[in-house]
């Protein structure tokens, strides 16, 4: 597994990089003017936490950091920091250098991005696609948060207007508590498969469903047998 470091500059039109289950397709949305967008981002960020709460959480976050990837709080209440994104792509996206082939090291790797608290999920996705020269529309991809609770793992698709660094700050620096994953939307993923492949998937699902059904029947047959035995014992004459 490889890793890379990326920097997402909020005041630039481009992103600069230094060294190294039903989902629906997103409908296109109009973008506010640049100045208005910046104001809206700042308002959204500050609606989460007060400046004092942010200051306290950034301080606690930095105390818990073990990999030197600390957050920096600016005087205006906006903070910068790092997130790590796992690339989990099921099919090779179209790239500007090798159409139909995945950029070297992009799939399966963990990419480290330096972002601001004003950067949205949509901007993070665009940054990752630019990093790997992917020419496909960002609307075909989604960023997920993966949470670990009580030995269970939950994956939830984030909306394009959420702020990943805020989620990272609230969850703390431990990636075994919260991590980010980039995937294709499920609809676009299924469209990429041929008819024989889809039919094979259906056969696999039918087999798994049949196995689950058989296990369930065995379980309740055994339960019914025990219940009948208990009833027969209860109704035995003294």
């Amino acid at each position: 597994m490889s890793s890379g470091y990326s920097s997402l500059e909020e005041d630039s039109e481009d992103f600069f990089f230094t060294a190294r289950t039903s989902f629906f397709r997103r409908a296109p949305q109009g973008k506010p003017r640049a100045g208005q967008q910046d104001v809206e981002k700042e308002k959204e960020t500050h609606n989460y936490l007060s400046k004092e709460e942010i200051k306290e959480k950034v301080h606690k976050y930095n105390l818990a950091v073990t990999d030197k990837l600390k957050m920096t709080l600016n005087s205006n209440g906006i903070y910068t920091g790092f997130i790590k994104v796992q690339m989990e792509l099921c099919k090779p996206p179209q790239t500007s250098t090798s159409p139909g082939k995945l950029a070297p090291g992009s799939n399966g790797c963990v990419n480290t991005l330096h972002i601001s608290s004003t950067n949205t999920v949509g901007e993070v996705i665009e940054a990752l696609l630019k990093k790997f020269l992917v020419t496909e529309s960002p609307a075909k991809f989604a960023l997920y948060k993966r949470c670990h609770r009580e030995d269970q793992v939950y994956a939830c698709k984030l909306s394009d207007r959420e702020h990943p660094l805020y989620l990272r700050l609230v969850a703390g620096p431990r990636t075994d508590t919260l991590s980010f994953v980039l995937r294709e939307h499920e609809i676009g993923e299924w469209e990429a498969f041929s008819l024989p492949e889809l039919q094979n998937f259906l056969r696999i699902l039918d087999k798994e469903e049949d196995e689950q059904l058989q296990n369930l029947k065995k379980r309740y047959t055994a339960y019914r047998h025990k219940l009948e035995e208990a009833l027969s014992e209860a109704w035995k004459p003294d």
Side-chain angles (χ1 to χ4, degrees):
M1 182 177 291
S2 60
S3 63
Y5 168 81
S6 304
S7 179
L8 196 163
E9 300 291 338
E10 62 171 324
D11 295 327
S12 173
E13 185 175 344
D14 297 321
F15 302 117
F16 296 92
F17 300 94
T18 60
R20 224 2 245 170
T21 332
S22 295
F23 306 104
F24 297 89
R25 190 180 302 280
R26 182 186 65 179
Q29 298 178 349
K31 294 182 67 175
R33 289 184 306 236
Q36 178 184 355
Q37 193 174 13
D38 290 340
V39 171
E40 288 176 354
K41 288 179 190 175
E42 184 171 344
K43 285 181 179 179
E44 288 176 7
T45 304
H46 288 204
N47 282 340
Y48 287 118
L49 299 169
S50 67
K51 285 188 176 181
E52 286 302 317
E53 289 173 325
I54 292 173
K55 183 178 180 181
E56 181 182 357
K57 284 191 175 294
V58 168
H59 176 68
K60 290 182 178 179
Y61 183 96
N62 289 338
L63 290 177
V65 165
T66 58
D67 55 8
K68 299 183 180 179
L69 299 180
K70 295 185 177 182
M71 292 194 184
T72 301
L73 178 62
N74 299 319
S75 57
N76 59 3
I78 295 175
Y79 48 98
T80 59
F82 300 85
I83 63 168
K84 296 180 180 180
V85 181
Q86 173 83 29
M87 307 287 283
E88 292 186 358
L89 306 181
C90 298
K91 62 183 180 67
Q94 297 291 325
T95 67
S96 58
T97 55
S98 303
K101 293 183 179 180
L102 197 62
S106 58
N107 197 27
C109 77
V110 175
N111 195 57
T112 302
L113 285 80
H114 184 253
I115 64 174
S116 162
S117 57
T118 62
N119 290 133
T120 63
V121 165
E123 291 171 332
V124 168
I125 293 175
E126 290 180 12
L128 288 168
L129 298 183
K130 284 179 180 287
K131 161 72 175 178
F132 297 112
L133 306 178
V134 175
T135 57
E136 293 183 84
S137 169
K140 292 185 178 181
F141 300 87
L143 190 68
Y144 292 77
K145 65 176 180 180
R146 183 181 286 160
C147 304
H148 300 252
R149 299 173 186 169
E150 299 178 355
D151 297 327
Q152 298 291 327
V153 179
Y154 304 89
C156 175
K157 185 167 74 73
L158 300 173
S159 72
D160 282 356
R161 300 303 300 166
E162 291 189 76
H163 299 85
L165 195 61
Y166 166 78
L167 299 176
R168 181 77 279 162
L169 175 65
V170 173
R174 291 181 53 180
T175 55
D176 59 348
T177 301
L178 172 73
S179 58
F180 296 103
V181 180
L182 181 72
R183 296 174 179 168
E184 298 106 324
H185 281 299
E186 189 169 325
I187 290 180
E189 175 184 326
W190 292 123
E191 288 175 347
F193 291 103
S194 65
L195 183 57
E197 288 174 321
L198 293 173
Q199 290 173 336
N200 187 50
F201 291 151
L202 286 175
R203 284 194 291 269
I204 293 173
L205 290 174
D206 287 340
K207 181 180 178 182
E208 291 180 350
E209 183 180 8
D210 183 64
E211 289 175 351
Q212 291 291 334
L213 182 59
Q214 294 303 320
N215 289 335
L216 191 62
K217 286 182 176 179
K218 289 179 181 178
R219 176 182 173 186
Y220 280 95
T221 297
Y223 179 78
R224 179 171 181 166
H225 181 67
K226 290 181 179 179
L227 185 58
E228 288 175 345
E229 285 184 344
L231 287 172
S232 64
E233 289 292 330
W235 287 99
K236 279 185 179 180
D238 296 334

